[in-house]
Amino acid sequence: MERPIGVFDSGLGGLTVLAALRRRLAGERFVYFGDTARVPYGSKSAATVQRYCRQDTAFLRRFEPKLIVVACNTATALGLEVVAEEAGTPVVGVIEPGARRAVAASGGKPIGIIATESTIASRSYYRAIRALEPRAEMWERACPLLVPMVEEGRTGEDPLVRAAVEEYLAPIRGRVGSLVLGCTHYPLLKSALAAYMGPEVALVDSAEEVAGEVAGVLERDGLAARDGDGGIQCYVTDNPERFRSVGERFLGQPLREVTLVEPEDFFVQEQAAGR
Ligand code: DGL
């Protein structure tokens, strides 16, 4: 059987990235791991997120993936190197592709970046954009309330979402040519973000760019699926029913196979490795 592409996220937000991967790579098989028991990662320290990243990668390795996608912005910001050490396969994160797209979309104007607290504190987007465009001016803002609002099922039309967007983005509005949606959940609030920022501001969602990068790596390494018929298997550390019902909105299609990973099972490999 074709080896799968492994994808992991702190929870269900990474399904927005999986949706783009599926559109681009229809014949590939995907194993998605969502750490729903420990979400959010976005308010945790670097050491904790790195430990989680190591465990999440070790879990995905059981499926012998040919490539691992770190779909979570926070995990990419704080743990991409840890994943690369652990993976034994090519690894694609979401920040560099997002930075590339932001520079291309900004038309030389300042770039706004919104993300979780830990992603903003890491300055990973800032550095990735500066590496591409040393003169880029940036405005960064953590928006911690947006993740729980999306998790609750609120949309861009919801008055509470609109109020939070206004509160967070008031210092940025009118100052930027593009806005990086530096968190898996924000693409679901595009209507509120676009309405507040105005039509002249490009909203940058890294998912399509990530899918393009994954396609490029698979081609380069001769790993692309030949005649595969695709499919998604999901594994979560808590509450598979909720993952299935909310996750369908993120993915835009029904989620059939969602399996609960018991803690004893999840941690067994790490203990065996003496970590
Ligand atoms: N997946 C996270 C991100 O993209 C958002 C949710 C969390 O804080 O864990 O940063």
Side-chain angles (χ1 to χ4, degrees):
M1 188 149 59
E2 266 311 323
R3 285 163 71 199
I5 296 174
V7 180
F8 82 85
D9 179 50
S10 55
L12 43 77
L15 291 171
T16 54
V17 178
L18 183 61
L21 289 166
R22 288 269 293 169
R23 280 195 295 277
R24 177 79 189 241
L25 302 159
E28 299 288 348
R29 206 156 64 79
F30 292 93
V31 175
Y32 180 96
F33 174 73
D35 195 5
T36 47
R38 301 189 296 190
V39 69
Y41 285 11
S43 52
K44 298 204 167 66
S45 69
T48 297
V49 173
Q50 284 160 6
R51 180 159 49 87
Y52 292 174
C53 283
R54 203 179 284 286
Q55 294 165 344
D56 302 345
T57 308
F59 179 79
L60 279 177
R61 281 193 67 170
R62 297 180 198 183
F63 301 91
E64 298 183 8
K66 55 188 173 185
L67 181 147
I68 290 182
V69 178
V70 184
C72 175
N73 289 259
T74 307
T76 303
L78 303 174
L80 192 65
E81 282 165 22
V82 170
V83 177
E85 273 166 35
E86 192 79 21
T89 64
V91 173
V92 175
V94 288
I95 289 187
E96 265 186 42
R100 273 201 302 275
R101 193 162 265 219
V103 170
S106 70
K109 298 207 186 92
I111 299 171
I113 301 159
I114 52 171
T116 63
E117 286 172 277
S118 304
T119 299
I120 294 295
S122 76
R123 310 225 64 201
S124 297
Y125 270 106
Y126 180 90
R127 280 198 301 274
I129 290 170
R130 269 285 157 95
L132 296 168
E133 178 50 70
R135 282 161 310 165
E137 202 184 316
M138 283 171 262
W139 294 85
E140 300 165 277
R141 189 82 163 108
C143 305
L145 285 175
L146 299 187
V147 166
M149 286 185 177
V150 172
E151 293 270 335
E152 256 193 355
R154 293 177 193 272
T155 66
E157 279 60 51
D158 186 284
L160 272 183
V161 170
R162 296 245 162 175
V165 163
E166 191 176 330
E167 163 81 17
Y168 288 135
L169 295 185
I172 298 184
R173 183 154 80 156
R175 295 196 147 113
V176 298
S178 62
L179 181 68
V180 179
L181 310 186
C183 170
T184 46
H185 290 55
Y186 301 168
L188 279 107
L189 303 178
K190 263 184 191 160
S191 59
L193 296 164
Y196 186 69
M197 295 302 282
E200 64 289 352
V201 176
L203 299 185
V204 178
D205 172 357
S206 61
E208 303 294 335
E209 195 80 18
V210 171
E213 179 157 338
V214 170
V217 173
L218 294 180
E219 279 306 322
R220 184 196 71 197
D221 295 353
L223 292 171
R226 313 271 167 233
D227 314 319
D229 53 7
I232 303 173
Q233 275 170 284
C234 294
Y235 293 85
V236 296
T237 45
D238 193 22
N239 210 341
E241 295 74 30
R242 184 165 185 279
F243 180 88
R244 192 179 287 115
S245 63
V246 184
E248 287 183 0
R249 271 194 312 117
F250 282 68
L251 188 63
Q253 70 174 79
L255 276 167
R256 288 191 190 85
E257 287 187 60
V258 183
T259 306
L260 175 67
V261 189
E262 302 288 352
E264 309 82 81
D265 187 28
F266 182 63
F267 291 112
V268 76
Q269 208 161 349
E270 202 187 41
Q271 279 159 4
R275 292 204 184 98

